[in-house]
Amino acid sequence: INRLYESGRIDIICRCALSSLWISESIRKDTRFIVVLNSGKKAPVSIKFDGNKIVGIKPSEHSIALIIKKALNTVKNKEWTNVQAGVSVSKRSFQDLIKESKNVYILSQKDKRVSTFSSNPTFILGDNKGIPTREEKLAMKKGERVSLGNKTYLAFSIISIAHWILDQ
């Protein structure tokens, strides 16, 4: 596990998965969290956590990191391969996933502020460098850039804010 943490900011991915899927003592059944890893020997690797199917995962960074490690050892091709209940892995790229998406919101600090979202939204968060221009242009064909406020929030906080808006 320590090597996994050393290879990148897996801690951030783990926190985002936790913010996306867990509330207090339960799991958001209506939520999927997909992370696309674009670095490493096997890139791209997409790992999907499906809140409607997750069983037996503890809400901890360590638990999520172990699942990511298992997923990286399981990935084969572009077909979704089951890692464990509610978690699957694929070699699908960001572009592949966006083509399947609807109601896309690229979360950004600088764009129009929103307080509502359409039904079944797809949210896109970049890393600290943002979303590469090519990927952003593709995503813009399926949606829009929006802001949740004028401050720079941590990624997992942005997810919590978006859930709060959806829960209203």
Side-chain angles (χ1 to χ4, degrees), residues 59-78:
S60 72
E61 283 184 40
H62 183 76
S63 178
I64 301 298
L66 287 172
I67 291 166
I68 291 170
K69 181 178 180 181
K70 186 176 178 182
L72 291 172
N73 290 328
T74 304
V75 68
K76 297 174 186 165
N77 53 41
K78 285 192 174 190

Side-chain angles (χ1 to χ4, degrees), residues 100-118:
E100 302 168 3
S101 300
K102 297 185 246 179
N103 303 324
V104 173
Y105 294 95
I106 303 166
L107 298 174
S108 166
Q109 180 184 350
K110 300 172 187 166
D111 291 284
K112 79 172 185 181
R113 195 165 181 180
V114 295
S115 57
T116 61
F117 299 107
S118 58

Side-chain angles (χ1 to χ4, degrees), residues 82-98:
N82 190 46
V83 175
Q84 71 176 64
V87 181
S88 52
V89 65
S90 166
K91 290 200 58 64
R92 291 181 190 205
S93 67
F94 176 85
Q95 293 87 348
D96 295 329
L97 295 169
I98 272 304

Side-chain angles (χ1 to χ4, degrees), residues 43-163:
V45 175
S46 294
I47 305 170
K48 176 171 57 175
F49 295 80
D50 189 337
N52 196 35
K53 298 176 183 174
I54 287 178
V55 177
I57 300 175
K58 294 179 183 175
S60 72
E61 283 184 40
H62 183 76
S63 178
I64 301 298
L66 287 172
I67 291 166
I68 291 170
K69 181 178 180 181
K70 186 176 178 182
L72 291 172
N73 290 328
T74 304
V75 68
K76 297 174 186 165
N77 53 41
K78 285 192 174 190
E79 296 301 314
W80 289 108
T81 302
N82 190 46
V83 175
Q84 71 176 64
V87 181
S88 52
V89 65
S90 166
K91 290 200 58 64
R92 291 181 190 205
S93 67
F94 176 85
Q95 293 87 348
D96 295 329
L97 295 169
I98 272 304
K99 288 175 185 173
E100 302 168 3
S101 300
K102 297 185 246 179
N103 303 324
V104 173
Y105 294 95
I106 303 166
L107 298 174
S108 166
Q109 180 184 350
K110 300 172 187 166
D111 291 284
K112 79 172 185 181
R113 195 165 181 180
V114 295
S115 57
T116 61
F117 299 107
S118 58
S119 62
N120 298 316
T122 297
F123 295 104
I124 298 173
L125 285 167
D127 61 13
N128 61 323
K129 297 172 189 163
I131 300 166
T133 303
R134 183 174 147 214
E135 280 81 0
E136 186 172 355
K137 283 181 181 179
L138 179 63
M140 288 294 289
K141 291 178 182 177
K142 296 284 198 138
E144 61 184 316
R145 288 172 49 112
V146 298
S147 172
L148 298 180
N150 58 358
K151 295 193 184 285
T152 302
Y153 298 103
L154 298 171
F156 67 92
S157 296
I158 291 169
I159 293 167
S160 295
I161 294 166
H163 270 303

